[in-house]
mmCIF file of all heavy atoms in Angstrom:
data_model
loop_
_atom_site.group_PDB
_atom_site.id
_atom_site.type_symbol
_atom_site.label_atom_id
_atom_site.label_comp_id
_atom_site.label_asym_id
_atom_site.label_seq_id
_atom_site.Cartn_x
_atom_site.Cartn_y
_atom_site.Cartn_z
ATOM 1 N N LEU L 973 -7.577 -9.364 12.949
ATOM 2 C CA LEU L 973 -8.469 -8.277 13.344
ATOM 3 C C LEU L 973 -9.921 -8.578 13.007
ATOM 4 O O LEU L 973 -10.825 -8.238 13.783
ATOM 5 C CB LEU L 973 -8.035 -6.973 12.653
ATOM 6 C CG LEU L 973 -6.619 -6.471 12.928
ATOM 7 C CD1 LEU L 973 -6.356 -5.202 12.122
ATOM 8 C CD2 LEU L 973 -6.416 -6.215 14.405
ATOM 9 N N VAL L 974 -10.154 -9.193 11.846
ATOM 10 C CA VAL L 974 -11.522 -9.409 11.363
ATOM 11 C C VAL L 974 -12.393 -10.186 12.355
ATOM 12 O O VAL L 974 -13.537 -9.798 12.614
ATOM 13 C CB VAL L 974 -11.486 -10.104 9.982
ATOM 14 C CG1 VAL L 974 -12.857 -10.669 9.614
ATOM 15 C CG2 VAL L 974 -11.026 -9.119 8.915
ATOM 16 N N PRO L 975 -11.909 -11.309 12.955
ATOM 17 C CA PRO L 975 -12.791 -12.062 13.855
ATOM 18 C C PRO L 975 -13.213 -11.297 15.105
ATOM 19 O O PRO L 975 -14.226 -11.638 15.722
ATOM 20 C CB PRO L 975 -11.938 -13.285 14.234
ATOM 21 C CG PRO L 975 -10.923 -13.407 13.149
ATOM 22 C CD PRO L 975 -10.625 -12.001 12.756
ATOM 23 N N HIS L 976 -12.472 -10.258 15.489
ATOM 24 C CA HIS L 976 -12.765 -9.549 16.735
ATOM 25 C C HIS L 976 -13.417 -8.188 16.512
ATOM 26 O O HIS L 976 -13.886 -7.576 17.472
ATOM 27 C CB HIS L 976 -11.470 -9.364 17.536
ATOM 28 C CG HIS L 976 -10.777 -10.643 17.881
ATOM 29 N ND1 HIS L 976 -11.225 -11.489 18.881
ATOM 30 C CD2 HIS L 976 -9.687 -11.242 17.349
ATOM 31 C CE1 HIS L 976 -10.431 -12.540 18.958
ATOM 32 N NE2 HIS L 976 -9.481 -12.418 18.040
ATOM 33 N N ALA L 977 -13.441 -7.702 15.289
ATOM 34 C CA ALA L 977 -14.012 -6.388 15.008
ATOM 35 C C ALA L 977 -15.518 -6.492 14.804
ATOM 36 O O ALA L 977 -16.002 -7.475 14.221
ATOM 37 C CB ALA L 977 -13.361 -5.787 13.766
ATOM 38 N N PRO L 978 -16.290 -5.504 15.272
ATOM 39 C CA PRO L 978 -17.746 -5.520 15.039
ATOM 40 C C PRO L 978 -18.103 -5.542 13.555
ATOM 41 O O PRO L 978 -19.138 -6.088 13.172
ATOM 42 C CB PRO L 978 -18.223 -4.229 15.698
ATOM 43 C CG PRO L 978 -17.160 -3.861 16.671
ATOM 44 C CD PRO L 978 -15.877 -4.362 16.094
ATOM 45 N N GLU L 979 -17.230 -4.967 12.721
ATOM 46 C CA GLU L 979 -17.503 -4.957 11.272
ATOM 47 C C GLU L 979 -17.353 -6.330 10.648
ATOM 48 O O GLU L 979 -17.889 -6.582 9.569
ATOM 49 C CB GLU L 979 -16.558 -3.969 10.577
ATOM 50 C CG GLU L 979 -16.789 -2.518 10.925
ATOM 51 C CD GLU L 979 -16.213 -2.129 12.275
ATOM 52 O OE1 GLU L 979 -15.446 -2.950 12.862
ATOM 53 O OE2 GLU L 979 -16.518 -1.033 12.751
ATOM 54 N N GLY L 980 -16.628 -7.216 11.332
ATOM 55 C CA GLY L 980 -16.452 -8.575 10.832
ATOM 56 C C GLY L 980 -15.806 -8.604 9.463
ATOM 57 O O GLY L 980 -14.806 -7.928 9.205
ATOM 58 N N LEU L 983 -14.684 -5.456 7.325
ATOM 59 C CA LEU L 983 -13.591 -4.573 7.728
ATOM 60 C C LEU L 983 -12.653 -4.218 6.570
ATOM 61 O O LEU L 983 -12.267 -3.044 6.441
ATOM 62 C CB LEU L 983 -12.797 -5.215 8.874
ATOM 63 C CG LEU L 983 -11.684 -4.362 9.489
ATOM 64 C CD1 LEU L 983 -12.244 -3.078 10.086
ATOM 65 C CD2 LEU L 983 -10.938 -5.164 10.560
ATOM 66 N N PHE L 1034 -2.767 -0.491 21.917
ATOM 67 C CA PHE L 1034 -3.534 -0.515 23.159
ATOM 68 C C PHE L 1034 -5.025 -0.229 22.965
ATOM 69 O O PHE L 1034 -5.824 -0.516 23.853
ATOM 70 C CB PHE L 1034 -2.951 0.508 24.141
ATOM 71 C CG PHE L 1034 -1.488 0.298 24.435
ATOM 72 C CD1 PHE L 1034 -0.511 1.086 23.842
ATOM 73 C CD2 PHE L 1034 -1.077 -0.721 25.277
ATOM 74 C CE1 PHE L 1034 0.833 0.888 24.095
ATOM 75 C CE2 PHE L 1034 0.265 -0.939 25.542
ATOM 76 C CZ PHE L 1034 1.225 -0.136 24.951
ATOM 77 N N LEU L 1035 -5.402 0.312 21.806
ATOM 78 C CA LEU L 1035 -6.798 0.734 21.623
ATOM 79 C C LEU L 1035 -7.515 0.015 20.491
ATOM 80 O O LEU L 1035 -8.685 0.326 20.229
ATOM 81 C CB LEU L 1035 -6.843 2.248 21.345
ATOM 82 C CG LEU L 1035 -6.234 3.177 22.402
ATOM 83 C CD1 LEU L 1035 -6.318 4.631 21.932
ATOM 84 C CD2 LEU L 1035 -6.937 3.008 23.739
ATOM 85 N N TRP L 1036 -6.873 -0.942 19.824
ATOM 86 C CA TRP L 1036 -7.475 -1.504 18.618
ATOM 87 C C TRP L 1036 -8.787 -2.243 18.883
ATOM 88 O O TRP L 1036 -9.607 -2.381 17.977
ATOM 89 C CB TRP L 1036 -6.478 -2.430 17.910
ATOM 90 C CG TRP L 1036 -6.209 -3.730 18.621
ATOM 91 C CD1 TRP L 1036 -5.306 -3.960 19.585
ATOM 92 C CD2 TRP L 1036 -6.866 -4.982 18.375
ATOM 93 N NE1 TRP L 1036 -5.335 -5.270 19.986
ATOM 94 C CE2 TRP L 1036 -6.283 -5.922 19.257
ATOM 95 C CE3 TRP L 1036 -7.876 -5.403 17.515
ATOM 96 C CZ2 TRP L 1036 -6.687 -7.242 19.286
ATOM 97 C CZ3 TRP L 1036 -8.284 -6.731 17.544
ATOM 98 C CH2 TRP L 1036 -7.691 -7.634 18.421
ATOM 99 N N GLN L 1037 -9.015 -2.694 20.094
ATOM 100 C CA GLN L 1037 -10.258 -3.403 20.408
ATOM 101 C C GLN L 1037 -11.336 -2.491 20.991
ATOM 102 O O GLN L 1037 -12.443 -2.960 21.270
ATOM 103 C CB GLN L 1037 -9.976 -4.547 21.381
ATOM 104 C CG GLN L 1037 -9.302 -5.754 20.731
ATOM 105 C CD GLN L 1037 -9.198 -6.924 21.675
ATOM 106 O OE1 GLN L 1037 -8.528 -6.849 22.707
ATOM 107 N NE2 GLN L 1037 -9.852 -8.027 21.340
ATOM 108 N N ARG L 1038 -11.049 -1.214 21.192
ATOM 109 C CA ARG L 1038 -12.037 -0.284 21.750
ATOM 110 C C ARG L 1038 -13.135 -0.019 20.725
ATOM 111 O O ARG L 1038 -12.857 0.278 19.563
ATOM 112 C CB ARG L 1038 -11.367 1.027 22.142
ATOM 113 C CG ARG L 1038 -10.332 0.887 23.242
ATOM 114 C CD ARG L 1038 -11.003 0.592 24.575
ATOM 115 N NE ARG L 1038 -10.029 0.505 25.665
ATOM 116 C CZ ARG L 1038 -9.650 1.537 26.399
ATOM 117 N NH1 ARG L 1038 -10.155 2.745 26.146
ATOM 118 N NH2 ARG L 1038 -8.767 1.394 27.368
ATOM 119 N N THR L 1039 -14.383 -0.115 21.154
ATOM 120 C CA THR L 1039 -15.518 0.137 20.268
ATOM 121 C C THR L 1039 -16.449 1.166 20.894
ATOM 122 O O THR L 1039 -16.351 1.471 22.088
ATOM 123 C CB THR L 1039 -16.308 -1.160 19.999
ATOM 124 O OG1 THR L 1039 -16.816 -1.667 21.251
ATOM 125 C CG2 THR L 1039 -15.427 -2.213 19.341
ATOM 126 N N SER L 1040 -17.315 1.712 20.077
ATOM 127 C CA SER L 1040 -18.330 2.644 20.562
ATOM 128 C C SER L 1040 -19.570 2.510 19.687
ATOM 129 O O SER L 1040 -19.504 1.968 18.574
ATOM 130 C CB SER L 1040 -17.804 4.086 20.546
ATOM 131 O OG SER L 1040 -17.408 4.452 19.248
ATOM 132 N N TRP L 1041 -20.683 3.007 20.193
ATOM 133 C CA TRP L 1041 -21.951 2.897 19.470
ATOM 134 C C TRP L 1041 -22.073 4.050 18.493
ATOM 135 O O TRP L 1041 -21.975 5.221 18.860
ATOM 136 C CB TRP L 1041 -23.121 2.894 20.438
ATOM 137 C CG TRP L 1041 -23.199 1.629 21.244
ATOM 138 C CD1 TRP L 1041 -22.644 1.395 22.458
ATOM 139 C CD2 TRP L 1041 -23.872 0.418 20.863
ATOM 140 N NE1 TRP L 1041 -22.910 0.116 22.879
ATOM 141 C CE2 TRP L 1041 -23.665 -0.512 21.916
ATOM 142 C CE3 TRP L 1041 -24.616 0.027 19.755
ATOM 143 C CZ2 TRP L 1041 -24.189 -1.787 21.881
ATOM 144 C CZ3 TRP L 1041 -25.136 -1.246 19.717
ATOM 145 C CH2 TRP L 1041 -24.924 -2.143 20.767
ATOM 146 N N VAL L 1042 -22.299 3.718 17.236
ATOM 147 C CA VAL L 1042 -22.489 4.713 16.176
ATOM 148 C C VAL L 1042 -23.690 4.301 15.345
ATOM 149 O O VAL L 1042 -23.693 3.226 14.733
ATOM 150 C CB VAL L 1042 -21.237 4.834 15.275
ATOM 151 C CG1 VAL L 1042 -21.485 5.855 14.163
ATOM 152 C CG2 VAL L 1042 -20.019 5.224 16.090
ATOM 153 N N SER L 1045 -25.294 0.815 16.245
ATOM 154 C CA SER L 1045 -24.489 -0.406 16.170
ATOM 155 C C SER L 1045 -23.070 -0.115 16.638
ATOM 156 O O SER L 1045 -22.604 1.027 16.583
ATOM 157 C CB SER L 1045 -24.467 -0.956 14.741
ATOM 158 O OG SER L 1045 -23.944 0.002 13.849
ATOM 159 N N GLN L 1046 -22.402 -1.142 17.092
ATOM 160 C CA GLN L 1046 -21.034 -0.978 17.558
ATOM 161 C C GLN L 1046 -20.063 -0.860 16.382
ATOM 162 O O GLN L 1046 -20.197 -1.568 15.377
ATOM 163 C CB GLN L 1046 -20.626 -2.150 18.442
ATOM 164 C CG GLN L 1046 -21.078 -2.021 19.890
ATOM 165 C CD GLN L 1046 -20.370 -3.009 20.786
ATOM 166 O OE1 GLN L 1046 -20.108 -4.135 20.391
ATOM 167 N NE2 GLN L 1046 -20.037 -2.592 21.998
ATOM 168 N N ARG L 1047 -19.107 0.035 16.536
ATOM 169 C CA ARG L 1047 -18.093 0.234 15.506
ATOM 170 C C ARG L 1047 -16.711 0.294 16.139
ATOM 171 O O ARG L 1047 -16.557 0.728 17.287
ATOM 172 C CB ARG L 1047 -18.345 1.539 14.735
ATOM 173 C CG ARG L 1047 -19.632 1.540 13.915
ATOM 174 C CD ARG L 1047 -19.563 0.527 12.801
ATOM 175 N NE ARG L 1047 -20.799 0.475 12.021
ATOM 176 C CZ ARG L 1047 -21.060 -0.439 11.093
ATOM 177 N NH1 ARG L 1047 -20.153 -1.390 10.851
ATOM 178 N NH2 ARG L 1047 -22.195 -0.413 10.435
ATOM 179 N N SER L 1048 -15.719 -0.125 15.383
ATOM 180 C CA SER L 1048 -14.329 -0.072 15.846
ATOM 181 C C SER L 1048 -13.790 1.338 15.594
ATOM 182 O O SER L 1048 -12.936 1.555 14.724
ATOM 183 C CB SER L 1048 -13.478 -1.103 15.106
ATOM 184 O OG SER L 1048 -14.005 -2.398 15.248
ATOM 185 N N THR L 1049 -14.291 2.290 16.355
ATOM 186 C CA THR L 1049 -13.958 3.695 16.105
ATOM 187 C C THR L 1049 -12.468 3.972 16.293
ATOM 188 O O THR L 1049 -11.862 4.694 15.496
ATOM 189 C CB THR L 1049 -14.776 4.603 17.031
ATOM 190 O OG1 THR L 1049 -14.705 4.101 18.377
ATOM 191 C CG2 THR L 1049 -16.235 4.645 16.611
ATOM 192 N N ALA L 1050 -11.874 3.418 17.340
ATOM 193 C CA ALA L 1050 -10.445 3.650 17.571
ATOM 194 C C ALA L 1050 -9.608 3.027 16.464
ATOM 195 O O ALA L 1050 -8.691 3.658 15.920
ATOM 196 C CB ALA L 1050 -10.039 3.090 18.927
ATOM 197 N N LEU L 1051 -9.929 1.788 16.096
ATOM 198 C CA LEU L 1051 -9.183 1.093 15.053
ATOM 199 C C LEU L 1051 -9.292 1.835 13.726
ATOM 200 O O LEU L 1051 -8.278 2.111 13.064
ATOM 201 C CB LEU L 1051 -9.704 -0.334 14.909
ATOM 202 C CG LEU L 1051 -9.066 -1.191 13.812
ATOM 203 C CD1 LEU L 1051 -7.606 -1.453 14.107
ATOM 204 C CD2 LEU L 1051 -9.825 -2.520 13.660
ATOM 205 N N LEU L 1052 -10.516 2.187 13.334
ATOM 206 C CA LEU L 1052 -10.724 2.849 12.046
ATOM 207 C C LEU L 1052 -10.115 4.249 12.039
ATOM 208 O O LEU L 1052 -9.524 4.677 11.038
ATOM 209 C CB LEU L 1052 -12.216 2.913 11.722
ATOM 210 C CG LEU L 1052 -12.906 1.560 11.503
ATOM 211 C CD1 LEU L 1052 -14.405 1.748 11.296
ATOM 212 C CD2 LEU L 1052 -12.300 0.839 10.300
ATOM 213 N N GLY L 1053 -10.254 4.977 13.147
ATOM 214 C CA GLY L 1053 -9.693 6.322 13.210
ATOM 215 C C GLY L 1053 -8.181 6.320 13.104
ATOM 216 O O GLY L 1053 -7.587 7.129 12.378
ATOM 217 N N LEU L 1054 -7.536 5.395 13.808
ATOM 218 C CA LEU L 1054 -6.071 5.329 13.769
ATOM 219 C C LEU L 1054 -5.574 4.791 12.435
ATOM 220 O O LEU L 1054 -4.515 5.211 11.949
ATOM 221 C CB LEU L 1054 -5.562 4.467 14.922
ATOM 222 C CG LEU L 1054 -5.762 5.075 16.312
ATOM 223 C CD1 LEU L 1054 -5.444 4.063 17.402
ATOM 224 C CD2 LEU L 1054 -4.894 6.332 16.482
#
Side-chain angles (χ1 to χ4, degrees):
L973 301 178
V974 165
H976 301 284
E979 293 78 11
L983 185 61
F1034 303 102
L1035 302 178
W1036 71 274
Q1037 285 187 297
R1038 297 289 182 90
T1039 61
S1040 58
W1041 290 92
V1042 179
S1045 59
Q1046 277 194 323
R1047 294 295 178 189
S1048 304
T1049 48
L1051 178 65
L1052 295 176
L1054 292 171

